[in-house]
Amino acid sequence: MSSKAIQIGITGMTCASCSTRIEKSLNKMDGVEANVNLALEKAKVTINEEKARPTDIVQKIEKLGYGVRTQRLDADILGMTCASCAARIEKGLSRMTGVVSVQVNLATESGTVIFQPGITEPNAIYNQVKRLGYEAVPKQEQATDAKEKELRRKLQKLILSTVLSLPLLYTMIAHLPFNTALPIPQLLMNPWFQLILAGIVQFYIGGQFYISGTKALLNKSANMDVLVALGTSAAYFYSAFETLRYQFGGLTNPELYFETSAILITLVLLGKYFESRAKRRTTAAITELMGLQAKEATIIEDGKERKVPIDQVAVGDLLRVKPGEKIPVDGIVVNGRSSVDESMITGESIPVEKGKDDKVIGATVNANGTLTMKAEKVGKDTALAGIVKIVEEAQGSKAPIQRLADSISGIFVPIV
């Protein structure tokens, strides 16, 4: 018999009788041993996996009138190419035990998962995304640098693809129904030369479409990359077959479509590059907001001042803010008088006079006096952090029409 120990956070308990009631009810279930701690608001449960499932425990707790604590996970998701990718990730994660809701946004390349700790964990969610053929990483500042590198890489591929595709496009002049009087080098009309140029575009530059498409098919779904790979492969391999007939079968006028496969891949890469640039701009607002925050604070301990990183400031710390410096965190003035520029929060261009017992907001600028302040809100509790969170949630949410479009795309791509 295989057993599994889990810890579930429980909400709604108000007294010892609540925890006792839950514990008794869970222990009556076949294959379940439970111990409920009121102080920690947690239940330690050992399950015989052959007789019970974690979802049975959750349903039992909710049936008793209590709730199971949930946690929010924000992550950057790499490797998505179209709306059907986002839809597939949402569907794959929604099927996981312990996942309450999933929202994946293609434009910001991010996802938000509400899950029940103990039933599932962040690592399990990351692994599930990886099994679907993508990569999920915790949201962090380094993700911006990774996106910049990815954008440069796409631009380099686009330039190389364009350089290799233009000679093939130029050969189309020979097929025009009128005389253009433009010279066409015989080398460009050579089928083997065209095969080499188109082959580099097809398999080196366009290899990403085969990789992504294969992952999608292995997960029993299809995305835009499958369509691109199928369409361009048909043109390329038919032209390669015609080239072999030209070389070994005595065919004098082979029908070649190398330029079709190469130009299609180039145009798709162009679209992906523009899309990546648009995505980059959608996150620029958050980056700029985060840049407004002070990086250091001057903390007063035993009458001495010392500089510390902003993340080391705790509630209750005494801070000194000199003229021209940014207010490090939200707090209250305990000594001094100055004018503070709060335009980044309120939009008011005229500095506001601040004195003892006045509230000050983090990231605003101290103009001309020295202030001694007491930290009241730090980290994610500051006004600036709240604004950033609202902007992130607004960018991560989907309009009803976007949800409809994503649903249609998730069906349309596999059918085509």
Side-chain angles (χ1 to χ4, degrees):
M1 292 190 301
S2 60
S3 60
K4 180 181 180 182
I6 59 174
Q7 283 196 350
I8 303 174
I10 301 176
T11 60
M13 293 190 296
T14 57
C15 59
S17 63
C18 294
S19 59
T20 304
R21 181 185 173 203
I22 296 172
E23 188 173 302
K24 284 182 178 180
S25 298
L26 293 180
N27 284 320
K28 287 178 182 178
M29 296 176 66
D30 192 19
V32 176
E33 291 182 11
N35 181 19
V36 180
N37 189 311
L38 174 63
L40 298 177
E41 294 186 319
K42 285 185 177 180
K44 186 177 180 181
V45 185
T46 303
I47 304 173
N48 182 340
E49 293 182 312
E50 295 178 2
K51 297 181 179 180
R53 299 174 300 171
T55 50
D56 298 332
I57 307 298
V58 173
Q59 289 172 3
K60 188 66 174 178
I61 293 171
E62 291 176 344
K63 189 176 180 181
L64 291 170
Y66 303 93
V68 174
R69 186 175 290 113
T70 59
Q71 186 175 326
R72 173 176 172 147
L73 174 67
D74 292 312
D76 290 305
I77 300 178
L78 310 176
M80 294 189 294
T81 57
C82 60
S84 64
C85 295
R88 185 162 71 256
I89 294 172
E90 285 185 350
K91 195 176 292 183
L93 293 180
S94 296
R95 291 172 180 159
M96 290 182 65
T97 302
V99 171
V100 178
S101 67
V102 183
Q103 185 168 282
V104 177
N105 191 295
L106 174 65
T108 57
E109 293 183 308
S110 63
T112 300
V113 182
I114 306 298
F115 67 98
Q116 296 164 332
I119 306 299
T120 191
E121 298 299 334
N123 284 339
I125 295 171
Y126 294 144
N127 291 334
Q128 176 69 3
V129 174
K130 190 173 183 179
R131 279 193 290 270
L132 292 169
Y134 306 92
E135 184 181 359
V137 295
K139 278 204 169 182
Q140 50 190 358
E141 292 181 5
Q142 286 79 1
T144 302
D145 296 331
K147 288 179 181 178
E148 287 288 352
K149 290 180 181 178
E150 179 68 14
L151 187 62
R152 286 196 295 270
R153 188 182 67 82
K154 286 184 177 180
L155 179 59
Q156 291 168 357
K157 277 196 168 187
L158 173 61
I159 293 172
L160 179 59
S161 182
T162 302
V163 170
L164 295 174
S165 299
L166 284 177
L168 296 173
L169 182 63
Y170 187 72
T171 62
M172 292 296 293
I173 296 172
H175 302 288
L176 295 175
F178 51 87
N179 186 13
T180 60
L182 293 173
I184 301 178
Q186 283 301 311
L187 177 64
L188 296 183
M189 300 304 295
N190 186 296
W192 289 103
F193 181 75
Q194 292 187 26
L195 183 141
I196 293 171
L197 289 184
I200 297 172
V201 176
Q202 185 73 30
F203 301 110
Y204 173 66
I205 299 173
Q208 64 192 63
F209 300 116
Y210 287 100
I211 295 171
S212 176
T214 302
K215 288 179 179 178
L217 292 175
L218 289 174
N219 283 286
K220 299 178 181 179
S221 61
N223 58 9
M224 187 186 72
D225 292 339
V226 174
L227 302 181
V228 173
L230 285 174
T232 57
S233 295
Y236 180 83
F237 286 113
Y238 177 79
S239 300
F241 175 70
E242 287 288 287
T243 300
L244 293 174
R245 289 182 63 196
Y246 163 80
Q247 185 69 34
F248 304 108
L251 185 65
T252 55
N253 294 311
E255 295 182 5
L256 304 178
Y257 300 97
F258 288 122
E259 75 287 340
T260 302
S261 63
I263 292 298
L264 275 176
I265 289 176
T266 302
L267 291 176
V268 172
L269 290 177
L270 178 64
K272 286 183 175 291
Y273 174 70
F274 284 145
E275 182 184 30
S276 296
R277 282 189 61 186
K279 290 176 182 176
R280 179 68 187 86
R281 287 175 181 174
T282 59
T283 57
I286 295 176
T287 305
E288 290 174 4
L289 280 173
M290 294 300 294
L292 295 173
Q293 187 179 31
K295 302 297 184 289
E296 291 182 325
T298 303
I299 193 168
I300 303 173
E301 288 181 339
D302 301 326
K304 296 181 179 179
E305 298 179 8
R306 66 184 180 92
K307 291 276 189 180
V308 297
I310 192 68
D311 56 2
Q312 291 185 15
V313 177
V315 174
D317 285 347
L318 282 179
L319 308 172
R320 181 150 291 159
V321 187
K322 297 176 181 178
E325 292 183 343
K326 290 182 178 180
I327 307 292
V329 295
D330 295 1
I332 187 170
V333 177
V334 296
N335 191 20
R337 192 164 191 85
S338 180
S339 298
V340 177
D341 181 4
E342 296 183 341
S343 58
M344 57 84 63
I345 295 289
T346 64
E348 176 57 57
S349 59
I350 301 175
V352 181
E353 291 294 324
K354 298 289 182 180
K356 187 177 180 181
D357 296 332
D358 287 336
K359 298 280 187 179
V360 286
I361 304 171
T364 56
V365 180
N366 181 25
N368 50 30
T370 299
L371 296 175
T372 302
M373 61 171 287
K374 182 179 180 181
E376 290 188 333
K377 293 181 179 179
V378 299
K380 295 181 179 180
D381 296 326
T382 63
L384 180 63
I387 294 171
V388 171
K389 184 179 179 181
I390 291 170
V391 174
E392 286 179 336
E393 288 177 350
Q395 289 186 345
S397 61
K398 294 182 182 180
I401 188 66
Q402 185 182 355
R403 290 187 179 278
L404 177 61
D406 289 352
S407 299
I408 294 172
S409 175
I411 299 170
F412 173 78
V413 172
I415 290 175
V416 172

